[in-house]
Amino acid sequence: MEILLVAVIAIVTIAITTALGQKLGVAGPLLLVGVGLAIALMPFFPGFVVDPEWILVGVLPPLLYSSAVSLPAIEFRRDFRPIAGLSVLLVVVSAVILGFFFAWAIPGLGLAMGIALGAIVSPTDAVATSIVKKLGISPRVVTMLEGESLLNDATSLVLLRTAIAAVAGGFSFGFAIGSFAWAVLSALIVGALVGFINLRVRGWLAHSAANTALSFMVPFAAYLPTEALGGSGLVAAVVAGIITGQGAARWFTPDQRLSDALNWRTVELVLEGGVFLLIGLDLKEVVRANLEENDGLWHGTWLALSTLGIVLAVRAAYVAILIWQQGRRAKRWQHGHTRLTELSAHLDRVASEESPPLRPANDPERHKRRVSLLRRRVTSAVADLDYYRATPLGWKHGSVIVWAGMRGVVTLAAAQTLPSDAEHRALLIFVAFLVAVGSLLVQGLSLPAVVRMLKMEGSGATYVSREEQTRLDDELRRAAVTALSSPTLLRPNGTEYSPGVIDRAGSRITEPPDDDASALAHEMLELRVQLIEAMRTRLNTVSTDGTFSTAALRHALAELDADQLSLELRIYDEEE
């Protein structure tokens, strides 16, 4: 009964604080940290520490999965190289530098345990990036930050396990590299397999409530077997989420997509809010344990402040190199764009000729397929270069990437996994706690001011330009017109449409029919549903070449889903 009461109070607190934060213009997660700190400091609060397994197994997989489902996969692919660098190389470099610092600053700690603590405080937090999304900065920056925070947990946890093994005398450089490779490889295989199975099974399962219940199990279905195999379950949950997010438009029904969006938004709100609330509530117990082991809090405080300064300095140096490399590549991109544009025009001419001037082919159909495949690849490459040219990264973007790299719940949960007999354990947990809380409060509260100072506020608020949306709408209308002229177009019962219905639909594709109960109006509703299906098929096709942004594609899909649900409801009402 007590646990149920605490859960009810926590959910009410999360809901009210989140709504209050929106009205005050302050990120809800930061307010929840403050609420947790205030409660923890009250004399009657007993203090407690949450078992890290509850966070690592029960909270992070669904949170990372939910973020991965909504991740703009096209943009993620385009910037995968810098994201991978931030997720792997930056974490390793930061952990090693911090390891030497801790070994020097904490007598008797040792380099291996220092690197372990460095691995704990190095990764940015996926939950913390929710603060960044609300500031309206460049979508490309948001994607890089989100992608980094989704993937760097694997690097951190593998490095932590390796460092702890080294403390026990079992370190091997080759073993460390092999462990990391296996952690990622097994996560990719299991996560992709679970993602594809999820799409097929839920696409077949028509019962909406059962479908929703099944969706909640997907992140754990990816996490648990991967961990059993010695891989990174968190990365597996991310991979399953990306596969699901990409395949939802093709395999799920409109009501499934709408249900998933609403349900997972609620799950995110509760779990994310609960995590930030727990960060504040942990304060008393962490401070008590540190006071019992040390004479005061000053030693741990200056260590945490120094640690935060080091991770920011290392991050700033790395991001500066990254931005410089992006500037150098811009020149090569310009040259490559010209060559690809010329090749694209040549392929268009080849495809339009009845006798292509390329080398003769024994199989003309196979030759056409090869030319078509090459055209799609060239189109995708040109779209990628257009994206890089339209969204260049400058020093202002780099400044936001540096300052938005906040630590959070992964740091706290990983710190709690340190061996119970580890020397200076209470001090190490206290340092990790202060780094996470200090990062969230200092960087999180000041980030809006930094964005305003850099005059970047609102620079990315409009994810979909009107020109892009118009082009995509025209593409979908052409697909609908093509479907109208198809000789295989039949009603759901297999009969032909009445004379005049197709002509009428051709001139009123986007307009609602007259609200009457006539058979002609009923046929018109059925026809419009089929046209929406044709447009959705075309939408899935154009989503593979990168010509349109993920935001534009998802906006168009949401419009089609809303139209179809409305039409199907009217058809159902008329049949009743």
Side-chain angles (χ1 to χ4, degrees):
M1 183 63 72
E2 291 181 1
I3 296 178
L4 179 61
L5 180 61
V6 170
V8 170
I9 294 174
I11 293 175
V12 171
T13 302
I14 291 168
I16 294 176
T17 305
T18 302
L20 183 62
Q22 189 174 18
K23 290 188 176 182
L24 296 177
V26 179
L30 298 180
L31 284 181
L32 286 167
V33 172
V35 170
L37 288 171
I39 296 175
L41 293 174
M42 293 180 179
F44 61 82
F45 186 74
F48 67 95
V49 174
V50 178
D51 187 343
E53 288 297 314
W54 283 98
I55 303 296
L56 293 175
V57 180
V59 175
L60 287 181
L63 274 178
L64 295 178
Y65 171 84
S66 180
S67 298
V69 167
S70 59
L71 186 73
I74 296 174
E75 290 76 7
F76 176 77
R77 173 187 60 78
R78 286 167 171 164
D79 279 319
F80 181 75
R81 181 183 295 182
I83 289 173
L86 291 167
S87 304
V88 179
L89 183 59
L90 179 58
V91 172
V92 173
V93 171
S94 299
V96 171
I97 292 175
L98 286 171
F100 281 101
F101 168 72
F102 291 131
W104 167 79
I106 306 176
L109 182 67
L111 180 60
M113 188 57 73
I115 292 178
L117 180 57
I120 289 171
V121 299
S122 292
T124 57
D125 195 80
V127 179
T129 55
S130 62
I131 300 171
V132 182
K133 296 179 182 179
K134 299 176 175 64
L135 298 179
I137 61 178
S138 168
R140 186 178 181 186
V141 172
V142 173
T143 301
M144 291 179 65
L145 288 170
E146 192 170 14
E148 174 196 7
S149 62
L150 288 175
L151 299 179
N152 60 13
D153 297 335
T155 307
S156 170
L157 296 177
V158 170
L159 191 59
L160 174 61
R161 288 199 296 261
T162 303
I164 291 177
V167 174
F171 176 75
S172 167
F173 182 77
F175 176 77
I177 297 297
S179 297
F180 179 77
W182 172 248
V184 174
L185 179 62
S186 60
L188 291 175
I189 295 174
V190 176
L193 183 62
V194 170
F196 283 119
I197 293 175
N198 173 43
L199 290 173
R200 302 306 192 274
V201 173
R202 294 184 58 208
W204 166 79
L205 195 63
H207 194 285
S208 58
N211 203 291
T212 299
L214 190 61
S215 73
F216 292 148
M217 298 299 104
V218 175
F220 303 105
Y223 179 90
L224 294 174
T226 306
E227 286 291 321
L229 292 172
S232 173
L234 297 180
V235 173
V238 170
V239 173
I242 293 176
I243 296 294
T244 301
Q246 284 298 100
R250 186 182 303 272
W251 292 95
F252 294 167
T253 61
D255 58 329
Q256 283 178 315
R257 286 189 288 269
L258 179 62
S259 175
D260 271 14
L262 295 176
N263 288 320
W264 277 105
R265 197 177 304 163
T266 303
V267 171
E268 269 192 72
L269 175 68
V270 174
L271 292 182
E272 181 181 291
V275 162
F276 282 104
L277 190 61
L278 285 174
I279 288 176
L281 293 174
D282 277 346
L283 172 66
K284 179 175 287 189
E285 186 63 24
V286 171
V287 171
R288 184 196 61 77
N290 191 69
L291 286 173
E292 287 181 358
E293 184 174 299
N294 300 283
D295 295 333
L297 301 179
W298 169 243
H299 184 51
T301 302
W302 86 262
L303 278 174
L305 293 175
S306 301
T307 300
L308 191 55
I310 291 173
V311 295
L312 285 174
V314 173
R315 185 175 181 84
Y318 184 88
V319 172
I321 296 174
L322 186 151
I323 298 298
W324 173 71
Q325 288 179 335
Q326 294 291 311
R328 289 189 60 190
R329 291 194 183 113
K331 298 179 181 179
R332 297 199 299 270
W333 288 337
Q334 178 62 43
H335 179 65
H337 187 275
T338 302
R339 295 182 60 184
L340 286 173
T341 302
E342 294 173 352
L343 178 59
S344 178
H346 174 69
L347 290 173
D348 288 340
R349 291 193 300 269
V350 169
S352 63
E353 294 176 2
E354 295 184 1
S355 299
L358 300 178
R359 61 183 182 181
N362 295 329
D363 188 349
E365 290 300 323
R366 181 183 178 187
H367 180 80
K368 288 182 180 180
R369 288 195 299 269
R370 292 177 62 184
V371 171
S372 177
L373 177 61
L374 183 58
R375 289 175 68 194
R376 286 199 299 271
R377 290 180 177 176
V378 171
T379 300
S380 178
V382 171
D384 289 349
L385 295 180
D386 287 337
Y387 171 79
Y388 296 137
R389 293 200 305 173
T391 57
L393 294 177
W395 69 269
K396 291 184 178 181
H397 302 93
S399 300
V400 173
I401 292 174
V402 171
W403 200 246
M406 291 166 275
R407 276 64 189 167
V409 65
V410 174
T411 294
L412 297 182
Q416 298 288 350
T417 64
L418 288 172
S420 57
D421 59 346
E423 192 174 359
H424 307 291
R425 185 177 188 273
L427 177 62
L428 301 184
I429 294 176
F430 181 66
V431 170
F433 179 88
L434 286 187
V435 169
V437 174
S439 172
L440 284 172
L441 294 179
V442 174
Q443 294 172 243
L445 289 173
S446 61
L447 186 59
V450 171
V451 172
R452 287 194 300 271
M453 182 180 65
L454 295 173
K455 298 181 179 180
M456 296 183 64
E457 194 172 23
S459 62
T462 304
Y463 277 68
V464 185
S465 68
R466 180 170 298 181
E467 183 272 335
E468 183 181 26
Q469 195 63 55
T470 300
R471 286 193 299 114
L472 185 53
D473 289 343
D474 291 341
E475 187 79 31
L476 300 184
R477 287 194 193 94
R478 286 195 292 271
V481 171
T482 302
L484 283 172
S485 61
S486 173
T488 60
L489 183 63
L490 299 173
R491 295 183 64 185
N493 61 10
T495 62
E496 294 184 355
Y497 283 98
S498 301
V501 170
I502 292 181
D503 292 337
R504 183 182 176 191
S507 60
R508 303 181 62 184
I509 290 175
T510 59
E511 299 177 12
D514 297 333
D515 288 327
D516 55 64
S518 66
L520 193 63
H522 188 82
E523 286 188 45
M524 178 63 74
L525 294 174
E526 293 178 342
L527 179 57
R528 288 187 63 202
V529 170
Q530 286 188 281
L531 295 181
I532 288 175
E533 293 289 356
M535 288 189 282
R536 187 180 290 112
T537 300
R538 182 57 184 166
L539 186 68
N540 290 330
T541 301
V542 300
S543 66
T544 60
D545 58 17
T547 306
F548 299 97
S549 66
T550 301
L553 294 169
R554 288 179 176 171
H555 179 78
L557 179 62
E559 285 187 333
L560 293 177
D561 286 348
D563 287 343
Q564 182 170 341
L565 289 173
S566 175
L567 292 170
E568 288 177 344
L569 180 61
R570 294 171 66 181
I571 292 173
Y572 176 79
D573 289 341
E574 289 187 5
E575 290 177 347
E576 287 292 312

